[in-house]
Amino acid sequence: MAGAPPAWGVQYTLSLPSEAAARAAAAELSVMGHRLTAVRVHDHFRFAPSSASYDRPSMDPELEGWWQVFSLAVYSGYERMDLEPFFRSERLRVAHVARTHGGFEQGCVEGHAATLEEFFTRDGLVHEQPGADVALPSPLPRDPAGPPAGPPWKRSEIGEPAAVVQAVVAVAERMYGSAEDAPDAVGWLLDEEFAFGEPYGSTGEFLGDLADAVAHQGTCTDDTVAAVPFLVELLRAEGVAPGSRLVLLGDLLRLAASGPAAAVALADRIAALEYVREEPAAEYLTRRAIGSELPRLLSRWDEESAAARFVLAALTALCGLQDQRALSAPTAVPAPAGSSRADAVSLLAALLHDDREGLASALDRLASWLPGIAEKAAGPNVDPRTLGLAILPGLVLEDVTSGIAAERDLP
């Protein structure tokens, strides 16, 4: 008989405006059953002569003078995946503690409890409960079952790797001529090392490398802005297979949503610091560049597949454009009542038509079966429209990419 799984640990980090607020929050976490809780001034290693960070500039100057709480909670008796529904409620509880004392939850790290406890920095330790575990409900909560999916999309071939690479390089050559004249995110396609390198084993691998070159780990930069016209030309090129076009449209959709997604993630921090967040220039300019190019993509509306129209309508909502074709798209998407697609379409329609009541209803339905959305929506500082824009790409792309033929199905 297998033994019990090792205890799992989560170390939470809270940022608070004063030492008194930090100590009060730490006391609450200790009452919740956290094993180790420490309170330290923000960037405390900058003030320790023995530290490599001593006297260096702050990595987060906005929090100069703030305090942090580091708290280790231990959960025993279950495998990590079984604990996920409960962990969502725990993250909400910890975030509430931070907000109550004027701060925000800054993140958490997970791992085997024994390892996290061994390496827990005890400077500023204010509460210690040896062997303490957080009490778990019995039975553990479970994620709700989701509704059935919508009807299948028409199969979209992704294309052979060599053919897709050739089509992409051809667009780069036509637009820029050489690597020296291309944006940094595109120049590698015209480099000799790329031309004479090993061929790609899969189209997905190549498209993934392209997406990472345009926005490394999804982060928008000046290079991302410069690469938007190139991505649009790819979408208009004849040699790019329909499935690959859907992948590229998805890349644009995610990039356009980077600003709203960051705003949702930082909502409590923004409220605690009492300032109006200005969207980073690269995120704003990327979305504006996509919006400027979008009419060229919408001009081919009648030639697009139903799945591509769904993505284009979502892209129109994210860019704030008013286009009659996109506005009518939700009624044309095959989305039977009670399906997951119907909920995504309702969200899209509310965003396109700036329907506040429809938006609230759509978010409520989505939160009823998608715990990740419920967790985001529970934050009192999250703007509903911003949340809708942030989650729209994931909903749309999870649906439409189910219609992309797997590469193992290529003839």
Side-chain angles (χ1 to χ4, degrees):
M1 180 176 178
W8 197 253
V10 181
Q11 180 178 303
Y12 300 92
T13 302
L14 282 61
S15 289
L16 287 304
S18 67
E19 181 180 3
R23 287 182 175 274
E28 286 197 41
L29 297 179
S30 181
V31 170
M32 287 166 55
H34 289 206
R35 186 173 294 185
L36 298 169
T37 310
V39 171
R40 300 191 287 270
V41 68
H42 177 73
D43 272 352
H44 77 286
F45 286 119
R46 292 174 53 222
F47 307 102
S50 61
S51 170
S53 301
Y54 178 64
D55 210 26
R56 291 189 175 183
S58 173
M59 297 293 290
D60 197 347
E62 285 188 329
L63 297 182
E64 190 75 38
W66 279 53
W67 286 69
Q68 290 179 301
V69 175
F70 301 88
S71 196
L72 175 63
V74 176
Y75 309 86
S76 300
Y78 295 91
E79 297 289 350
R80 166 63 182 85
M81 293 307 297
D82 294 333
L83 290 165
E84 180 57 29
F86 177 71
F87 278 169
R88 293 193 186 98
S89 63
E90 282 290 276
R91 291 191 292 266
L92 290 174
R93 279 213 299 168
V94 172
H96 176 72
V97 169
R99 284 194 298 268
T100 298
H101 296 282
F104 60 95
E105 197 250 327
Q106 200 168 5
C108 60
V109 295
E110 298 186 24
H112 291 298
T115 302
L116 291 181
E117 185 167 11
E118 179 183 357
F119 291 100
F120 188 90
T121 301
R122 293 173 174 255
D123 294 356
L125 190 69
V126 290
H127 298 284
E128 181 174 9
Q129 303 182 93
D133 284 2
V134 173
L136 296 170
S138 181
L140 285 176
R142 296 188 176 217
D143 286 340
W153 299 101
K154 182 180 178 181
R155 175 185 167 115
S156 296
E157 302 290 345
I158 197 168
E160 292 281 0
V164 174
V165 171
Q166 184 178 11
V168 171
V169 171
V171 172
E173 289 176 339
R174 184 173 71 248
M175 290 184 69
Y176 308 111
S178 67
E180 290 75 16
D181 298 323
D184 288 345
V186 179
W188 62 283
L189 295 166
L190 302 173
D191 190 274
E192 287 188 4
E193 291 186 8
F194 173 76
F196 294 102
E198 291 292 325
Y200 275 89
S202 73
T203 303
E205 181 187 359
F206 170 65
L207 293 175
D209 281 354
L210 179 59
D212 196 52
V214 170
H216 181 57
Q217 296 182 345
T219 301
C220 294
T221 65
D222 292 343
D223 290 338
T224 309
V225 180
V228 167
F230 171 71
L231 293 177
V232 172
E233 282 301 311
L234 288 184
L235 287 163
R236 292 169 58 84
E238 295 298 331
V240 179
S244 291
R245 290 188 70 253
L246 272 177
V247 173
L248 292 167
L249 275 173
D251 291 340
L252 286 178
L253 191 59
R254 293 188 188 93
L255 293 175
S258 59
V264 169
L266 297 173
D268 280 352
R269 176 188 174 114
I270 294 167
L273 290 170
E274 298 181 335
Y275 72 97
V276 177
R277 176 181 181 265
E278 291 188 8
E279 186 177 16
E283 293 176 355
Y284 168 74
L285 292 173
T286 295
R287 187 170 61 256
R288 191 173 76 171
I290 295 171
S292 296
E293 297 282 353
L294 191 50
R296 292 207 297 149
L297 297 176
L298 293 172
S299 68
R300 299 178 48 166
W301 184 268
D302 292 339
E303 305 167 34
E304 298 286 5
S305 67
R309 290 178 188 176
F310 193 16
V311 182
L312 282 168
L315 197 55
T316 305
L318 275 158
C319 293
L321 269 64
Q322 291 291 312
D323 182 273
Q324 192 56 47
R325 291 160 296 194
L327 289 171
S328 64
T331 59
V333 174
S339 67
S340 59
R341 188 181 300 163
D343 287 350
V345 168
S346 294
L347 175 64
L348 172 60
L351 292 169
L352 284 169
H353 295 277
D354 198 20
D355 177 1
R356 295 186 180 183
E357 291 186 6
L359 175 62
S361 176
L363 289 174
D364 284 345
R365 286 199 303 274
L366 287 163
S368 71
W369 61 272
L370 285 172
I373 292 177
E375 184 177 354
K376 291 182 175 72
N381 297 313
V382 174
D383 172 68
R385 180 171 178 83
T386 304
L387 174 60
L389 292 171
I391 64 175
L392 183 62
L395 295 168
V396 171
L397 295 178
E398 183 175 355
D399 191 319
V400 299
T401 54
S402 65
I404 297 177
E407 292 188 57
R408 63 177 176 272
D409 297 333
L410 290 171

